[in-house]
Amino acid sequence: MRISLCQGLLTGAIVLNLLILYYVSRAQQQMMEKRKELGRGSRRVALPASGLGGGLAGGEPGVVGVEGHSRSPRVTVLLREFENFENYVGDVATSFLRQRPELPFLAVADSSPYPPLVLPEGARLLILTPSPDQSPQAHRPEFHVQTEFVLLVPDGVELEQPRSIERLIRELEGEGGGPVRVVAAPVLARSAVQCLHLRVNLREWTATYSPAASGSSGSVCTALQGDAVVLIRTEDLFNLSVPLGRPFFPSLFVQTALRGWKVKLLESPCFSANHRPLYSSAHNQWKADTRLKEATGKLMKSFGLKRILLPDGKEQWFGCSKETPRCFGTVQEDTPDYLYLDRWTPPCCLRGLRETAKYVINILETSGVRYWLEGGALLGAVRHQDIIPWDYDVDLGIYLEDIPNCDHLKNLDSGSLVDANGYVWERAVEGDFYRVQYSEANHLHVDLWPFYARNGVMTKDTWTEHKQDVEFPEHFLQPLVPMTFAGIAAFAPNNHRAFLELKFGEGVIENPQYPNPVKKRLDKSKL
């Protein structure tokens, strides 16, 4: 095919235009790249409007490199503890962003605050309560923190020294991933925060705090009390079961103590706090204290902690009382529900059982009713001088012929009796025995088993399916002997080993076991 002169000229013109367009585009791209380089070298990186910028990068947070390239921030500032009715969240955010505008700042609340928070540009509010019109990620904080570290600050704190954050990071990195997984700095003064040792025993539903000694380079302990700024790796924080529970310090340190982590409290840097006291009126302080008490109760219930021993020796109880139902329901097949959770009897229930046992024993002694520690109660007295740690009631044997001596027992055939101290005396519906309950609300109880002597043998007219409910020679009760039990001296059979082995089998004292090992066996390695 021959190409005409016009076709050749047209083809040449098209090729020339394409070449021109290519070189013009290339020149524009090079000019844009030069402008970007100049911009990076002359200013810091601005915080994105979302307040959630940053990534996992090396170097110090927000520092401009020697070649003019800004590095991503390594820490997100997070404020969790504040009250809607009075707070300084906006002031805290302003303080940190004024000194360190490149750092993401995140305030976290369970629900939308009212009145609404007023936050500066660069700070964000995260609501933890899910909303049906939003994605699940919108309410999960781990999706909103993209930095290597999280700096947890209390309400009212201000950042005066921008490099204080780097000091905390260096201290945490200097631990090399050892047991110290949290670093903290005091607010205002060293005395404002105390380093404590915390031991958490979930099996016994108990947390114990004790004072920790200070070291020359800062205290290393397992919990803090007071106002402090805390730095933790983001990965560590969000590997906790409840990373942002409230109250924050009890929630954080219960979980870290269970993992064997430690916290290092530095003597400096100190963070300032212009808003002290935090609340401007006694009424608002009362409201804050009330909400703190409520939040603490909810947290301890969710963690399964019912007794807290404080550093000053005082106790806090979060379980049952005489005015509330007991912590467990009806016991099936001699195995209370808490055994299936690998826990023992809650300490509040043991306390209620001790009170009831001591009360009943006093009534029986003053009434002239002969009694003795029976079954598991005797076994607990021999092993622990107390109730067996996983037992759920107390058994006492009594002489049937002595019942008329006791006003609390002699008329129970006509109905139950609530005495002047709130204890409930009744004939048990399960069989021919008596039961004394802690209160009308709380059914922790002591069972009284009536026996009578026949031809030198203690017997009954009705029997239960319990293994220990058997006849035995009366000589075990002649004489009765005192034995320490639940803080008092109670009467017991005179040869407790032979008595218990008759009831439960040989070696029962040295070989503890749950009441029904077919359903749940005791892991003796955890004793």
Side-chain angles (χ1 to χ4, degrees), residues 253-382:
F253 293 121
V254 164
Q255 296 176 85
T256 57
L258 285 168
R259 289 160 173 79
W261 299 358
K262 296 184 182 298
V263 54
K264 186 174 185 179
L265 178 62
L266 306 177
E267 296 182 1
S268 63
C270 292
F271 287 77
S272 62
N274 291 334
H275 302 291
R276 286 292 184 271
L278 188 58
Y279 303 104
S280 58
S281 68
H283 178 68
N284 279 358
Q285 182 66 60
W286 172 82
K287 286 171 64 177
D289 292 342
T290 301
R291 288 172 62 87
L292 175 63
K293 184 177 179 180
E294 293 173 352
T296 302
K298 291 179 181 178
L299 178 73
M300 296 308 162
K301 181 178 180 180
S302 67
F303 281 178
L305 293 173
K306 298 180 182 293
R307 183 188 183 206
I308 309 297
L309 297 174
L310 301 175
D312 59 3
K314 296 181 180 179
E315 296 178 310
Q316 290 181 338
W317 293 88
F318 299 97
C320 65
S321 67
K322 199 174 179 70
E323 291 74 33
T324 65
R326 68 184 185 184
C327 296
F328 56 94
T330 302
V331 176
Q332 304 289 339
E333 299 177 295
D334 298 327
T335 307
D337 56 7
Y338 50 79
L339 292 185
Y340 292 109
L341 302 174
D342 290 321
R343 296 194 176 204
W344 289 352
T345 308
C348 47
C349 296
L350 290 174
R351 178 183 61 172
L353 284 173
R354 292 187 192 102
E355 291 179 10
T356 307
K358 289 188 283 188
Y359 181 80
V360 171
I361 286 172
N362 181 63
I363 294 291
L364 296 178
E365 289 181 352
T366 56
S367 301
V369 175
R370 290 167 290 175
Y371 75 92
W372 60 93
L373 297 173
E374 258 288 353
L378 178 60
L379 196 54
V382 173

